[in-house]
Amino acid sequence: EKLYKPKKINEDNINSVVTEDSMTGYKVVQKCFSNKFVQTSNGNSNIIKYSKDNTLLIVDGACFGRFIKEILIITNRKNMYVSSPESIEYVILKILEHKINVKQYLEEPYNSIESKKFKTWEQYFTYLLVEHTANTIYQYSKNKCNSIYLQQRFTQDIKNFILSCIVHLKNNKLDDNSENKDNIHWHK
């Protein structure tokens, strides 16, 4: 039995979108939400500064964990949303998983990540995306955005995935004295 209700986003209530990504991730999000004011916070530790009404905050779930409690307490009091996909690279991998043969890596990434080589999940997913798209029409770079990712067929899929990763509080409360994340639900 689910102890939460999925949080629906009425996009008409969102005036601005803030992503922690810069460069390619920012450009992709900007294209996905072209009818909104989109900006970058230039890192996950800065995104809390952008918490205001009618805002969608997009954070990398792969490395945002230590900030999640604080941001969820703030967003619970305001008309705002937090989307927490693993990373923009993970989102793109999920969309391309059948085209570039990475499904097995995404289903159980913990079986293939080498912790000595990758310090974060984001680094691992970036590596997968770069390696599996090299010399293809989907070639990915964090520094230079491939125009294919800005096409309508991709931006709509990316946007839908981002909107499906809304993080919210179960029962609309979080015990401020608890380090336990049982009251936090990642809706994917």
Side-chain angles (χ1 to χ4, degrees):
E1 175 184 17
K2 290 184 178 180
L3 299 176
Y4 63 92
K5 292 181 181 176
K7 193 170 194 176
K8 300 281 184 190
I9 291 183
N10 179 349
E11 281 191 68
D12 293 338
N13 293 336
I14 296 173
N15 297 329
S16 62
V17 177
V18 180
T19 178
E20 67 172 277
D21 286 312
S22 57
M23 298 184 283
T24 294
Y26 171 70
K27 287 182 181 181
V28 170
V29 169
Q30 193 173 37
K31 188 69 173 184
C32 290
F33 295 93
S34 59
N35 62 337
K36 307 292 181 191
F37 176 69
V38 178
Q39 57 188 332
T40 178
S41 66
N42 291 308
N44 60 22
S45 63
N46 296 324
I47 207 155
I48 292 173
K49 297 174 189 173
Y50 295 86
S51 57
K52 59 184 179 185
D53 284 341
N54 304 317
T55 301
L56 171 63
L57 304 176
I58 304 170
V59 300
D60 288 348
C63 54
F64 194 74
R66 68 185 187 146
F67 304 104
I68 198 69
K69 182 177 175 182
E70 183 178 356
I71 197 71
L72 287 179
I73 290 169
I74 292 168
T75 60
N76 198 42
R77 295 181 190 139
K78 296 184 176 196
N79 182 29
M80 56 187 300
Y81 308 93
V82 177
S83 177
S84 183
E86 293 296 333
S87 67
I88 195 69
E89 292 80 14
Y90 176 81
V91 173
I92 294 169
L93 282 165
K94 287 296 286 180
I95 291 166
L96 294 176
E97 71 183 342
H98 297 294
K99 295 179 189 324
I100 60 172
N101 196 25
V102 292
K103 187 174 182 175
Q104 71 276 14
Y105 301 111
L106 299 176
E107 286 179 349
E108 296 177 336
Y110 46 84
N111 286 331
S112 53
I113 189 171
E114 173 55 55
S115 62
K116 290 179 183 174
K117 187 173 181 179
F118 306 105
K119 293 181 179 160
T120 68
W121 286 101
E122 181 182 7
Q123 288 176 356
Y124 173 68
F125 293 129
T126 301
Y127 167 80
L128 277 180
L129 188 56
V130 169
E131 284 296 307
H132 287 270
T133 60
N135 302 313
T136 72
I137 62 169
Y138 306 111
Q139 188 160 333
Y140 182 82
S141 167
K142 258 184 130 43
N143 300 322
K144 186 173 185 326
C145 187
N146 182 338
S147 63
I148 199 160
Y149 297 118
L150 303 178
Q151 294 177 6
Q152 174 66 30
R153 64 188 169 132
F154 283 101
T155 58
Q156 190 59 52
D157 288 344
I158 291 168
K159 181 179 182 178
N160 290 341
F161 195 96
I162 288 170
L163 293 176
S164 75
C165 296
I166 300 302
V167 182
H168 61 95
L169 298 176
K170 285 201 244 180
N171 304 323
N172 273 341
K173 67 180 194 175
L174 182 65
D175 179 357
D176 288 335
N177 299 320
S178 173
E179 290 301 317
N180 188 341
K181 292 186 179 180
D182 290 342
N183 287 334
I184 300 173
H185 176 71
W186 280 260
H187 177 69
K188 293 186 183 181

